[in-house]
Amino acid sequence: MANAVEKVSGIAIADIEKIIGRTDDNIEKISGLEFAGVTEAHTLISTSTASNATSIDISSGIDSTYDVFIFDFINLNAATDNTQFQFQVNATDGADYNDSAITSTHFAAYQDEPSEGTGTSLYYDASRDAKQSTSFIPLEHYVGNGADESISGRMWLFAPSSGTYVKHWMAQFSENAQQNAAYNTWVAGYINDTTAIDDIRFKMASGNLDGVIKMYGIAK
Amino acid sequence: MALTLIDTDTASTSATLGFTSGIDDTYPVYEFHYVGIHPATDNTEFQFQVETGSDSDYDHPMITTYFQAHNDESGGSPTVAYSTGDDQATAGDTNGVFQTLAKDVGAGEADQSTSGILTLYDPSSAYVKHFISTSNCYQGGDTSVQTFVSGYINITTAITRVQFKMSSGNIDAGTIKMYGVG
């Protein structure tokens, strides 16, 4: 057991008998440190922090190491009021975020704050889905620039390094929208490209953004 | 490990479950995994609220949305629809109510329960506090219901406590695990 790990969640290594049902005879790593145990199940690959940035580009770490990638979006705030948060990708043979066609669905539920009315709805948004679009794809709309207005959520990207299949993705957001309403938005689709994807760009449709995006890999 | 177990609370005919420590700026995202929540009273709602500092009123305003898909064991007419009345749009620092995450949770049969995940974003930030939850519920009417609840707690003060309960009666059994993500 050659390693630098001394405790896991406050428990001394010597006192741990099993992790997720596995004994220390077949555990190999914890957080990348050799143990004689588990390989990392959920690994933080990168943290991107934007401060009045035009975009957040993640151009390393998306490869065949993992089959599933998770992006956590934490309090993204727009510089321009009432804009749209969106993304596109580059395949390994592309560079300008405009070559990979995406087809997607987009639906949302909303509720107004009491000061704005009593509106609620669940609806499909045909103006923000995509049909073989190589433009940036909307993930959330009505993003505000108020001091406490932001969006938070999560996106999954499946098997981006596949050379056989299109690349599936799903996203969900909670938003404090610019018109003082709560939006719960669900977007999913596939990148209709069988070449491996290795870059992803997130940006607002207009103006800059603040916020944090963390990218995780899920062990195969 | 990016998903760190912070604490576990296990029900045993409990009025509430929850966490009054461990929610701070250590992590930007917290996940609450509720597993096998079985109420004492049939067809009651599994709910949550939050608090700041060491307060214990659990009454902060929320703007939320609530929709669900359901299908009966007998077939019936499966639907997906927004559920007005299970959401809330409350205003004022102390006028919030407990937000339902899963409704009509069954208790009449021993194998009825609800399970799901509540994700709370950046509880220590100066922004409003976003959350997203997805649950599946075995309802008292022998129906499978997937519920999607999302919204924001409309305060800019740091959240330090989260409490879960049924709308009526105790939580007979079930476990909630709180993880830090980051």
Side-chain angles (χ1 to χ4, degrees):
Chain A
M1 196 186 297
N3 64 80
V5 178
E6 295 180 357
K7 292 183 177 180
V8 176
S9 297
I11 302 171
I13 291 293
D15 295 330
I16 297 175
E17 296 179 357
K18 290 182 179 179
I19 295 179
I20 315 178
R22 303 179 71 178
T23 67
D24 65 358
D25 291 331
N26 53 20
I27 295 174
E28 294 171 0
K29 289 182 179 178
I30 292 179
S31 294
L33 296 168
E34 289 186 5
F35 180 74
V38 189
T39 54
E40 306 92 323
H42 186 201
T43 301
L44 177 63
I45 300 170
S46 66
T47 299
S48 304
T49 302
S51 178
N52 202 28
T54 55
S55 67
I56 294 177
D57 296 354
I58 300 175
S59 54
S60 66
I62 301 175
D63 56 32
S64 60
T65 304
Y66 303 99
D67 270 347
V68 181
F69 290 79
I70 291 177
F71 302 86
D72 269 348
F73 307 100
I74 301 155
N75 283 330
L76 302 182
N77 175 261
T80 302
D81 202 26
N82 195 14
T83 188
Q84 189 163 267
F85 181 60
Q86 51 192 18
F87 88 104
Q88 247 297 356
V89 300
N90 283 331
T92 52
D93 59 355
D96 299 321
Y97 296 99
N98 59 5
D99 292 326
S100 296
I102 295 177
T103 297
S104 66
T105 60
H106 190 123
F107 68 94
Y110 79 88
Q111 158 114 268
D112 289 332
E113 290 192 14
S115 60
E116 307 299 325
T118 57
T120 60
S121 183
L122 169 65
Y123 64 100
Y124 188 89
D125 192 338
S127 68
R128 292 184 174 85
D129 61 7
K131 298 175 178 61
Q132 290 297 90
S133 172
T134 56
S135 300
F136 277 76
I137 304 301
L139 293 174
E140 187 60 286
H141 50 300
Y142 306 135
V143 184
N145 67 349
D148 65 348
E149 291 175 348
S150 65
I151 62 172
S152 293
R154 182 168 287 174
M155 178 178 183
W156 293 261
L157 175 63
F158 298 91
S161 296
S162 170
T164 304
Y165 296 106
V166 302
K167 315 304 186 293
H168 295 281
W169 54 273
M170 306 186 301
Q172 62 184 57
F173 286 88
S174 171
E175 176 184 33
N176 175 15
Q178 59 87 27
Q179 70 273 39
N180 298 323
Y183 274 77
N184 180 7
T185 303
W186 297 75
V187 190
Y190 55 86
I191 303 158
N192 201 355
D193 196 331
T194 55
T195 304
I197 301 299
D198 63 351
D199 301 329
I200 190 164
R201 170 174 287 175
F202 301 96
K203 70 182 188 70
M204 297 295 173
S206 175
N208 293 345
L209 77 164
D210 298 327
V212 174
I213 301 177
K214 288 177 173 282
M215 181 172 75
Y216 301 91
I218 305 300
K220 289 183 176 178
Chain B
M1 192 77 78
L3 196 67
T4 301
L5 177 63
I6 300 170
D7 202 358
T8 300
D9 201 5
T10 301
S12 177
T13 316
S14 306
T16 64
L17 295 175
F19 304 93
T20 57
S21 64
I23 302 172
D24 52 32
D25 61 359
T26 303
Y27 300 99
V29 180
Y30 288 78
E31 286 188 3
F32 301 86
H33 295 202
Y34 39 98
V35 181
I37 301 295
H38 181 80
T41 305
D42 201 22
N43 289 329
T44 52
E45 281 67 68
F46 181 60
Q47 306 175 318
F48 90 105
Q49 247 289 0
V50 302
E51 255 309 343
T52 63
S54 57
D55 291 348
S56 56
D57 297 322
Y58 295 96
D59 55 4
H60 289 290
M62 298 186 192
I63 311 298
T64 68
T65 61
Y66 189 111
F67 65 95
Q68 60 185 17
H70 76 87
N71 197 17
D72 295 336
E73 288 186 9
S74 58
S77 302
T79 62
V80 59
Y82 193 94
S83 182
T84 303
D86 295 309
D87 56 9
Q88 68 174 291
T90 47
D93 275 349
T94 60
N95 292 326
V97 296
F98 273 76
Q99 173 60 47
T100 295
L101 298 175
K103 65 184 293 188
D104 295 333
V105 185
E109 298 173 26
D111 60 350
Q112 292 176 328
S113 67
T114 186
S115 296
I117 297 173
L118 168 66
T119 303
L120 176 64
Y121 292 89
D122 217 0
S124 298
S125 83
Y127 290 102
V128 301
K129 314 303 187 294
H130 294 282
F131 70 89
I132 297 173
S133 79
T134 307
S135 310
N136 202 68
C137 178
Y138 184 177
Q139 287 189 338
D142 290 337
T143 301
S144 177
V145 179
Q146 185 180 11
T147 304
F148 305 87
V149 187
S150 172
Y152 50 88
I153 301 143
N154 204 0
I155 58 173
T156 53
T157 307
I159 289 170
T160 56
R161 298 176 167 205
V162 176
Q163 187 176 92
F164 300 86
K165 70 179 186 67
M166 305 308 301
S167 57
S168 175
N170 291 334
I171 303 173
D172 261 0
T175 299
I176 303 178
K177 290 178 176 285
M178 178 172 73
Y179 297 92
V181 184

